[in-house]
Amino acid sequence: MSYSDSDSSSYGGDYKNFRQISRERLLYEMLRSAKTGTSKSTWKVLIMDKLTVKIMSHSCKMADITQEGVSLVEDIHRRRQPLPSMEAIYFIQPTKENVIMFLSDMSGRSPLYKKYVKKFPYYPSSPISRELVTHIKKDSTVIPRIGALREGFVTDDERALEELFGDEENSRRGDACLNVMASRIATVFASLREFPLVRYRAAKSLDTMTMTTFSDLIPTKLAAGVWNCLMKYKQSIENFPQTETCDLLILDRSVDQVAPIIHEWTYDAICRDLLNMEGNKYVHEVPSKTGGPPEKKEVLLEEHDPLWLELRHAHIADASERLHEKMTSFISKNKAAQIQHSARDGGELSTKDLQKMVQALPQYSDQIDKLSLHVEIAGKINRIIRELRLRELGQLEQDLVFGDAGLKDVVKFFTTNEDVSRENKLRLLMILAAIYPEKFQGEKGQNIMKLARLQSDDITAVNNMRLLGGASDIKKSSTGAFSLKFDINKKKRAVRKDRTGEEQTWQLSRFYPMIEELIEKLGKRELPKDDYPCMNEPSPTVHAKNQSAAISQPPVAHSMRSRRTPTWARPRNSDDGYSSDSVLRHASSDFKKMGQRIFVFIVGGATRSELRVCHKLTRKLNREIILGSTSLDDPPQFITKMKMLTVDELSLDDIQI
């Protein structure tokens, strides 16, 4: 499963948290109480406000809503035509203004609609108040017309990193943030009627004499808050499960400081990293239909585009080759294109030549628009990779992570590549600071910054990496789950070890986020309880169910076919998460046939690579992996947040990426 990355309106991407839950489930939970048939007489009107339009646009498309029996979508704040033969579903915020509008629609002898189902997105800090419920009840003409009154959920903690990691002195603000977060997470389980086995990253304090910091206790406090809410739901919600039905693993950004910064080479991630996209919006130039200068056109890279869906988790080199093959295949199957091809001089056509040729065939414009778009995007990305020499940089990043490079290699890279961009120098040093935080203390740290010629806010971001827990990781024994791993044959330090059983054929595919290892261990019941304690001891049947689900999934073979792809790519048929094909073949499968769900919640932001491995592991473990977080951050957003952690007087206008 995945976050729904849709940005089909101008509202932006504020409601990313727990959008991992499938659109089918969201729609089912919201519409099931209203759907009574598929005949024209039972079609519904869906009424929303500005905020709930955001939520819905990030969860599903209009076609999905229509499929669930909704024929018309309306804005509650606009004048609407009466439709007394149709039933209405109100999906709105629990505000006084909305309730007044709702009552004006329903009251009197001539209501706008036949019957009403009212649903509120759930905010624990502002649920529907008793006063508003009382206000609704006062109107005697309204009550008989309400079919149901329900609350849903939404989370929004974009400033969690700053509020929880940035100010150790202000624990009240941090506690308040965690309390709200816990209520919102618990609401997810209440909505889905799931009762999780709650596990969390334990505090990393060395011994009883060491003072534990607030940030080190974040997962512990959040797990306790979620558990308290669940206990209340268990007693108060009808038909709420009394035994565990799923797993919840609560982590924070200290689990993996490298993942938000390192260059991720899959198509989805690299598009957002290098193309300065706004949400899912990509702007490109198209030929003018009137013969004038090129016109700018906005397109959305999202799930309605089958090519995007196929390529988003593929390595950029693999995606580029697939696009060339698709374009070549289109030419070979089209007679007009073949005539143009034969009229040309001999020699193999480039992808760009093929693109121009197909664009000259107007009768096929509808078929080729999407293909041409992705050919252009892939070409642009590959140009940027060459111009910025990102392959060499990416190799150094991964060598640092796996202990094959150290500070001397970074210094050498800076001295021999003076044209490296400021942003890439910053990212390289942030990775270095996550691995070797002690090297950025005192004069040695100042000399490294001076060599990189970083600006003051860049230096702040590098220094703030220590706040994510790097220093404590160095001192912890190598048996800990988050400890830095040492190889007796290596002088350099590694924060990853190569995964056994997964052959790495090409470069720049070696990196994996830490949650991949943690989720696999959780699925196999091998996650150490000392490092990941349980809030509740599982029922005896939980182990048996999950073990049988894991055993029932046969091992997946890896394709090792030869190809002309550059050595930094990866084969499309491998089950390593770099191709979405294997996931897409099973995306529409019935998740009820799988084992119990695994929910993973990361405080401080999730990354595209973490999202990718959840796709991969859903099939591998035969369990639906649902990733939640306070935000979904691409490198520029994460770096900006790191700059803001400790500098209260710094405004967003001062930040440069």
Side-chain angles (χ1 to χ4, degrees):
M1 298 301 296
S2 68
Y3 282 94
S4 173
D5 296 328
S6 197
D7 192 9
S8 54
S9 70
S10 61
Y11 293 114
D14 296 333
Y15 299 94
K16 301 163 183 168
N17 313 299
F18 270 116
R19 288 191 281 117
Q20 175 93 22
I21 295 172
S22 66
R23 72 163 65 96
E24 291 85 359
R25 181 166 297 278
L26 172 66
L27 285 166
Y28 175 75
E29 293 294 332
M30 196 192 81
L31 299 172
R32 63 179 177 176
S33 61
K35 191 175 182 181
T36 58
T38 56
S39 66
K40 192 171 182 179
S41 62
T42 56
W43 283 82
K44 311 294 186 298
V45 182
L46 176 61
I47 295 99
M48 296 184 285
D49 59 23
K50 184 176 180 181
L51 181 138
T52 53
V53 166
K54 284 186 184 182
I55 299 169
M56 191 63 70
S57 67
H58 281 294
S59 305
C60 50
K61 301 187 290 290
M62 188 62 203
D64 302 312
I65 300 173
T66 303
Q67 190 174 357
E68 294 296 328
V70 172
S71 61
L72 181 64
V73 177
E74 297 267 33
D75 184 337
I76 191 171
H77 297 297
R78 293 186 179 179
R79 294 188 64 179
R80 286 160 278 132
Q81 292 292 326
L83 298 168
S85 63
M86 298 182 70
E87 298 177 0
I89 303 169
Y90 283 75
F91 184 41
I92 55 178
Q93 299 176 79
T95 64
K96 185 176 181 180
E97 181 184 12
N98 280 348
V99 169
I100 291 172
M101 294 295 293
F102 171 66
L103 291 175
S104 69
D105 289 352
M106 297 176 60
S107 59
R109 294 184 178 180
S110 302
L112 288 185
Y113 309 109
K114 179 181 178 181
K115 187 179 179 182
Y116 302 79
V117 173
K118 189 174 182 182
K119 302 180 75 69
F120 297 110
Y122 182 78
Y123 278 95
S125 57
S126 58
I128 181 170
S129 65
R130 291 183 180 180
E131 290 78 13
L132 290 178
V133 175
T134 303
H135 188 50
I136 294 172
K137 288 181 177 180
K138 283 181 180 179
D139 194 327
S140 59
T141 63
V142 166
I143 297 301
R145 296 169 182 162
I146 299 179
L149 181 63
R150 300 173 180 265
E151 289 183 332
F153 74 91
V154 63
T155 67
D156 185 15
D157 299 290
E158 284 285 341
R159 296 188 63 187
L161 198 69
E162 177 185 347
E163 293 179 349
L164 297 174
F165 291 91
D167 189 357
E168 284 286 342
E169 303 299 323
N170 191 355
S171 60
R172 284 188 179 182
R173 184 172 72 161
D175 284 333
C177 177
L178 287 175
N179 288 338
V180 172
M181 199 182 302
S183 298
R184 294 175 180 175
I185 294 171
T187 305
V188 173
F189 295 100
S191 300
L192 297 178
R193 294 297 193 273
E194 292 269 23
F195 180 48
L197 174 65
V198 181
R199 302 190 67 172
Y200 59 95
R201 177 191 64 74
K204 294 173 284 188
S205 299
L206 302 177
D207 50 57
T208 55
M209 302 300 293
T210 305
M211 185 177 70
T212 303
T213 63
F214 176 85
S215 60
D216 200 20
L217 289 170
I218 287 171
T220 306
K221 290 191 171 192
L222 182 58
V226 171
W227 181 249
N228 289 337
C229 292
L230 290 173
M231 288 300 96
K232 294 176 184 177
Y233 292 152
K234 195 174 180 180
Q235 296 172 3
S236 61
I237 296 179
E238 186 179 356
N239 298 325
F240 194 77
Q242 298 300 300
T243 58
E244 297 81 8
T245 61
C246 62
D247 288 292
L248 168 62
L249 178 60
I250 295 177
L251 308 169
D252 62 5
R253 198 58 270 169
S254 69
V255 67
D256 191 347
Q257 303 163 53
V258 175
I261 308 162
I262 196 169
H263 284 85
E264 167 78 359
W265 293 85
T266 51
Y267 190 50
D268 178 13
I270 207 165
C271 279
R272 300 172 193 283
D273 194 354
L274 301 184
L275 298 183
N276 298 317
M277 293 171 57
E278 295 181 16
N280 287 355
K281 189 187 301 180
Y282 174 71
V283 180
H284 68 128
E285 291 187 345
V286 295
S288 172
K289 295 180 180 179
T290 60
E295 300 173 350
K296 287 189 175 181
K297 182 180 179 181
E298 295 180 353
V299 292
L300 298 173
L301 302 181
E302 55 186 9
E303 292 185 355
H304 74 267
D305 180 350
L307 260 180
W308 172 256
L309 208 59
E310 175 190 342
L311 300 174
R312 59 181 175 176
H313 294 312
H315 191 288
I316 178 59
D318 187 21
S320 299
E321 181 177 305
R322 289 199 219 181
L323 289 167
H324 185 277
E325 290 175 354
K326 288 177 184 293
M327 190 72 82
T328 303
S329 175
F330 182 88
I331 292 291
S332 66
K333 294 176 182 178
N334 178 265
K335 292 183 178 180
Q338 289 174 10
I339 294 172
Q340 289 195 22
H341 188 185
S342 61
R344 294 178 60 92
D345 296 331
E348 185 179 353
L349 292 174
S350 69
T351 302
K352 191 172 183 180
D353 292 333
L354 293 169
Q355 180 186 7
K356 289 180 178 178
M357 185 182 299
V358 174
Q359 287 173 340
L361 305 172
Q363 66 270 36
Y364 296 103
S365 60
D366 291 339
Q367 301 175 32
I368 209 64
D369 276 350
K370 284 286 190 296
L371 185 54
S372 296
L373 168 67
H374 289 287
V375 166
E376 176 189 319
I377 291 174
K380 188 174 182 178
I381 289 172
N382 284 313
R383 285 195 299 274
I384 294 173
I385 290 172
R386 289 193 298 270
E387 291 167 1
L388 298 182
R389 300 168 67 182
L390 291 184
R391 294 181 198 174
E392 185 179 354
L393 175 68
Q395 186 63 59
L396 179 55
E397 289 176 345
Q398 299 202 13
D399 286 345
L400 283 171
V401 170
F402 286 91
D404 297 325
L407 177 59
K408 289 183 179 179
D409 300 281
V410 174
V411 171
K412 181 180 178 181
F413 180 80
F414 284 161
T415 54
T416 57
N417 297 275
E418 295 183 357
D419 57 342
V420 176
S421 70
R422 174 178 149 240
E423 179 192 344
N424 286 330
K425 288 180 181 178
L426 171 59
R427 289 170 70 167
L428 194 57
L429 287 189
M430 290 177 76
I431 293 172
L432 193 66
I435 303 170
Y436 300 95
E438 75 281 0
K439 294 187 182 296
F440 288 83
Q441 298 173 0
E443 186 177 350
K444 183 182 288 186
Q446 294 175 8
N447 290 336
I448 297 173
M449 305 289 195
K450 192 179 296 182
L451 176 65
R453 299 175 184 175
L454 296 185
Q455 297 183 7
S456 59
D457 60 331
D458 296 337
I459 294 172
T460 299
V462 175
N463 289 333
N464 282 346
M465 292 298 291
R466 62 183 168 79
L467 299 175
L468 297 185
S472 62
D473 285 349
I474 296 169
K475 300 175 185 176
K476 196 175 179 186
S477 69
S478 61
T479 58
F482 295 120
S483 60
L484 299 176
K485 300 175 179 63
F486 294 88
D487 189 318
I488 57 174
N489 298 318
K490 289 183 178 180
K491 293 182 180 179
K492 302 180 180 72
R493 188 178 297 152
V495 289
R496 295 289 188 286
K497 58 182 179 181
D498 286 305
R499 293 175 61 79
T500 58
E502 293 191 10
E503 189 169 348
Q504 304 294 334
T505 308
W506 292 285
Q507 299 173 359
L508 303 182
S509 303
R510 190 180 180 190
F511 177 80
Y512 63 92
M514 280 300 300
I515 70 163
E516 180 170 2
E517 187 175 295
L518 299 179
I519 294 172
E520 284 198 278
K521 287 183 177 180
L522 178 63
K524 296 174 183 176
R525 297 295 162 190
E526 296 175 357
L527 204 58
K529 285 193 175 182
D530 289 342
D531 297 312
Y532 301 93
C534 301
M535 288 301 301
N536 50 321
E537 284 301 318
S539 302
T541 56
V542 172
H543 290 299
K545 285 182 181 178
N546 290 333
Q547 286 174 357
S548 63
I551 293 170
S552 65
Q553 181 67 15
V556 180
H558 292 259
S559 169
M560 298 298 296
R561 68 180 181 87
S562 61
R563 58 193 299 166
R564 62 180 177 85
T565 310
T567 57
W568 52 289
R570 172 173 294 275
R572 75 186 62 173
N573 294 330
S574 67
D575 186 37
D576 57 5
Y578 279 87
S579 169
S580 57
D581 285 354
S582 61
V583 176
L584 289 172
R585 283 194 295 268
H586 299 268
S588 60
S589 65
D590 185 0
F591 283 103
K592 291 181 180 179
K593 296 178 182 178
M594 292 189 166
Q596 294 178 334
R597 292 188 184 94
I598 295 177
F599 292 80
V600 181
F601 192 89
I602 303 176
V603 181
T607 70
R608 303 281 167 184
S609 60
E610 289 162 341
L611 184 58
R612 170 174 55 81
V613 300
C614 288
H615 276 263
K616 168 187 171 181
L617 293 177
T618 287
R619 182 189 179 201
K620 184 175 182 180
L621 300 180
N622 197 35
R623 298 180 67 178
E624 185 180 6
I625 314 297
I626 298 176
L627 178 64
S629 181
T630 50
S631 57
L632 178 61
D633 294 332
D634 297 308
Q637 289 80 40
F638 182 79
I639 292 171
T640 298
K641 290 179 179 181
M642 292 303 297
K643 291 179 179 182
M644 296 293 292
L645 277 189
T646 55
V647 189
D648 293 335
E649 66 273 13
L650 196 64
S651 69
L652 285 173
D653 294 334
D654 298 321
I655 299 295
Q656 297 180 22
I657 296 294

